[in-house]
């Protein structure tokens, strides 16, 4: 019997061809027509390669979503991915150069979708007993906040013992992601009292002066060592130089490493009191995603991957990201989640987006062998 890696290596060219098919079907998040075409290509590939069950989750404004299933049993393993990309149609060309494939979404994350399909195919083709249900959920709106898929992802995660996310790996190194920061987006609005800046300036209340003081206080929440960043992304207010501003606002992005930090940041922001008693300060917004924390279950998963990689003569490392993925949702529910399982490459959301074609078989084997290990466990991880 062939090993999984041998099987994958043998299908190296098929992997490339299927990836090209998927990348050619461009899929900007906000273009339903194109997205649906891409979703259909993916569903066709799943049926051709894996021959499991396909459930289409129809969506009105974004591309349809897919729940692919193979294997059976009471336990479930979930794999999540998205086929939408940040690229409008015909923005960057698909091209191959010295074993490197460039193209829209090739790294984030169509390469990851393809290695997952081939991992599932390899499991079936090498005769591995699929004693658990493997659900591969592919959504269409990750790049625009996942509001059309979050509930579905959470529902499937709750039924699962672990979640694999074949999102792009860490640029150039191929390292997997064992943590991702959480994100909060807040708006601070200040209402003051407008008056003439020359005639009676002290009778007014400058919303801008108040906002400046508020932002200086908020900026103190930034703590590099603790992995907390506070970015004041936009600021606006006032009307003209000779008027004391009656309104000013700013948008703030906070990133944090633990759930507790997120809760503390939110509480600190919401409790802001005005410096000037006559100013009104309003904070809106919320924590958009809690972090994917590096728990001991996640480290166990990483160590298994590392062992598999070593068996193939590769060194696999781990890292994290300040950017979130749908893995943040599943991790927040307490389901062990490991991310960044996609192929080696670079340039997510950038014009040089690419993957290394020679790396596809190894990444497919990595996912397949991790699944294989978990198919033989009775319960839990
Ligand atoms: Zn992505």
């Amino acid at each position: 019997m062939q090993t999984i890696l041998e099987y994958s290596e043998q299908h190296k060219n098929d992997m490339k061809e299927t990836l090209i098919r998927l990348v050619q079907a461009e899929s900007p998040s906000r273009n339903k027509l194109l997205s649906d075409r891409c979703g259909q290509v993916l569903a066709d590939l799943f049926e051709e390669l894996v021959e499991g069950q396909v459930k289409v989750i129809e969506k009105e404004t974004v591309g349809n979503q897919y729940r692919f299933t193979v294997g059976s049993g009471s336990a479930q393993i979930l794999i999540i991915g998205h086929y939408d990309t940040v690229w409008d149609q015909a923005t960057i060309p698909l091209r191959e150069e010295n074993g490197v494939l460039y193209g829209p979404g090739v790294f984030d994350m169509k390469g990851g979708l393809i290695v997952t399909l081939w991992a599932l195919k390899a499991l079936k083709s090498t005769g591995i007993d699929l004693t658990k249900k493997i659900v591969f959920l592919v959504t269409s709106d990750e790049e625009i906040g996942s509001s059309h898929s979050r509930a579905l992802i959470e529902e499937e995660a709750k039924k699962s013992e672990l979640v694999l996310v074949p999102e792009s790996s860490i640029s150039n190194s191929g390292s997997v992601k064992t943590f991702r920061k959480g994100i909060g987006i807040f708006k601070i609005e200040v209402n003051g009292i407008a008056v003439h800046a020359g005639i009676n300036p002290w009778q007014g209340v400058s919303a801008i002066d108040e906002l400046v003081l508020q932002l200086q206080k908020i900026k103190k929440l930034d703590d590099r060592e603790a992995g907390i960043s506070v970015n004041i992304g936009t600021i606006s207010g006032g009307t003209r130089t000779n008027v004391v501003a009656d309104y000013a606002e700013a948008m703030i992005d906070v990133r944090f490493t633990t759930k507790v930090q997120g809760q503390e940041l939110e509480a600190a922001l919401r409790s802001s009191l005005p410096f000037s008693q006559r100013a009104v300060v309003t904070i809106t917004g919320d924590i958009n995603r809690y972090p994917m924390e590096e728990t001991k279950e996640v480290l166990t998963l990483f160590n298994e991957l590392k062992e598999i990689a070593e068996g193939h003569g590769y060194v696999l490392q781990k890292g994290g990201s300040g950017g979130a993925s749908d893995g943040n949702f599943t991790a927040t529910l307490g389901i062990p989640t490991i991310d960044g399982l996609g192929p080696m490459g670079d340039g997510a959301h950038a014009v040089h987006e690419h993957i290394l074609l020679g790396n596809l078989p190894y990444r497919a084997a990595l996912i397949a062998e991790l699944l294989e290990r978990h198919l033989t466990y009775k319960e839990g991880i």
Side-chain angles (χ1 to χ4, degrees):
M1 184 60 91
Q2 260 183 329
T3 67
I4 287 173
L5 186 61
E6 282 165 359
Y7 179 86
S8 301
E9 290 286 1
Q10 201 179 49
H11 291 275
K12 195 174 153 176
N13 282 331
D14 301 325
M15 283 190 199
K16 180 176 111 180
E17 275 167 31
T18 49
L19 177 57
I20 288 173
R21 259 169 81 184
L22 193 62
V23 177
Q24 276 170 339
E26 292 202 50
S27 47
S29 314
R30 296 192 193 278
N31 187 326
K32 176 162 172 66
L33 187 74
L34 285 179
S35 289
D36 280 346
R37 280 187 205 155
C38 177
Q40 189 57 52
V41 170
L42 186 70
D44 291 346
L45 287 173
F46 178 79
E47 285 185 311
E48 280 169 35
L49 299 172
V50 190
E51 300 170 40
Q53 294 165 356
V54 178
K55 186 180 170 208
V56 185
I57 299 121
E58 307 240 340
K59 294 281 160 186
E60 264 178 36
T61 53
V62 293
N64 292 335
Q65 301 178 351
Y66 291 85
R67 182 184 187 274
F68 303 119
T69 311
V70 274
S72 59
S74 51
Q76 174 170 309
I77 296 172
L78 180 64
I79 307 172
I80 54 173
H82 65 90
Y83 69 74
D84 62 315
T85 77
V86 296
W87 299 104
D88 286 333
Q89 191 179 20
T91 310
I92 56 170
L94 175 72
R95 70 177 213 276
E96 187 190 339
E97 221 171 76
N98 304 322
V100 178
L101 191 71
Y102 296 83
V106 73
F107 185 50
D108 183 11
M109 62 169 279
K110 291 181 176 180
L113 299 178
I114 288 297
V115 291
T116 303
L117 288 181
W118 282 95
L120 297 175
K121 182 166 173 61
L123 284 177
K124 286 186 92 169
S125 305
T126 53
I128 287 153
D129 216 2
L130 302 183
T131 54
K132 288 179 185 175
K133 197 190 282 178
I134 303 173
V135 172
F136 182 22
L137 187 66
V138 186
T139 62
S140 54
D141 65 335
E142 198 269 350
E143 300 292 4
I144 52 170
S146 308
S147 61
H148 303 270
S149 51
R150 181 175 182 164
L152 182 66
I153 292 165
E154 290 177 338
E155 186 194 319
E156 289 299 337
K158 282 181 200 160
K159 293 187 266 178
S160 306
E161 55 186 33
L162 76 132
V163 180
L164 310 184
V165 191
E167 271 275 9
S168 41
S169 55
I170 293 179
S171 291
N172 299 317
S173 69
S175 300
V176 295
K177 294 170 184 169
T178 50
F179 69 87
R180 282 184 182 269
K181 284 190 179 180
I183 303 179
I185 297 165
F186 294 90
K187 182 180 191 181
I188 175 164
E189 290 175 282
V190 180
N191 286 95
I193 298 167
V195 290
H196 192 294
I199 300 169
N200 51 359
W202 296 283
Q203 283 174 13
V205 176
S206 167
I208 291 178
D209 288 356
E210 175 68 30
L211 184 62
V212 167
L213 294 172
Q214 289 290 337
L215 293 178
Q216 281 173 347
K217 197 178 88 186
I218 287 169
K219 197 65 196 170
K220 289 198 180 116
L221 298 168
D222 194 286
D223 184 342
R224 191 171 179 167
E225 252 168 55
I228 296 171
S229 62
V230 176
N231 181 53
I232 299 156
T234 67
I235 180 165
S236 63
T239 51
R240 31 182 61 78
T241 56
N242 58 1
V243 178
V244 171
D246 71 342
Y247 180 80
E249 63 169 55
M251 293 294 295
I252 301 152
D253 173 310
V254 295
R255 309 263 167 160
F256 44 93
T257 309
T258 68
K259 187 171 184 172
V260 174
Q261 287 174 346
Q263 288 163 336
E264 286 172 358
L265 279 167
E266 183 169 18
L269 286 165
R270 291 208 191 283
S271 63
S272 291
L273 293 171
F275 285 85
S276 160
Q277 283 184 352
R278 293 189 298 152
V280 178
V281 175
T282 313
I283 303 260
T284 50
D286 54 20
I287 302 292
N288 177 263
R289 292 174 202 231
Y290 278 105
M292 189 181 102
E293 295 185 40
E294 191 182 77
T295 60
K296 74 175 196 310
E297 290 85 359
V298 174
L299 278 176
T300 306
L301 281 171
F302 169 68
N303 286 327
E304 288 179 52
L305 283 167
K306 205 173 140 192
E307 238 178 73
I308 296 167
E310 271 165 14
H312 298 312
Y314 288 88
V315 178
L316 185 73
Q317 287 175 320
K318 65 181 174 71
S321 173
S325 84
D326 288 338
N328 290 60
F329 297 144
T330 62
T332 302
L333 295 171
I335 318 296
T337 300
I338 192 147
D339 202 333
L341 291 166
M344 202 183 256
D346 188 22
H349 303 197
V351 286
H352 66 291
E353 177 166 10
H354 65 266
I355 56 121
L356 308 188
L357 287 166
N359 188 242
L360 295 176
Y362 157 63
R363 294 307 270 214
L366 201 57
I367 294 172
E369 289 184 40
L370 184 68
L371 287 169
E372 183 190 7
R373 286 184 175 216
H374 285 266
L375 289 169
T376 56
Y377 292 174
K378 286 257 176 319
E379 59 186 45
I381 62 160

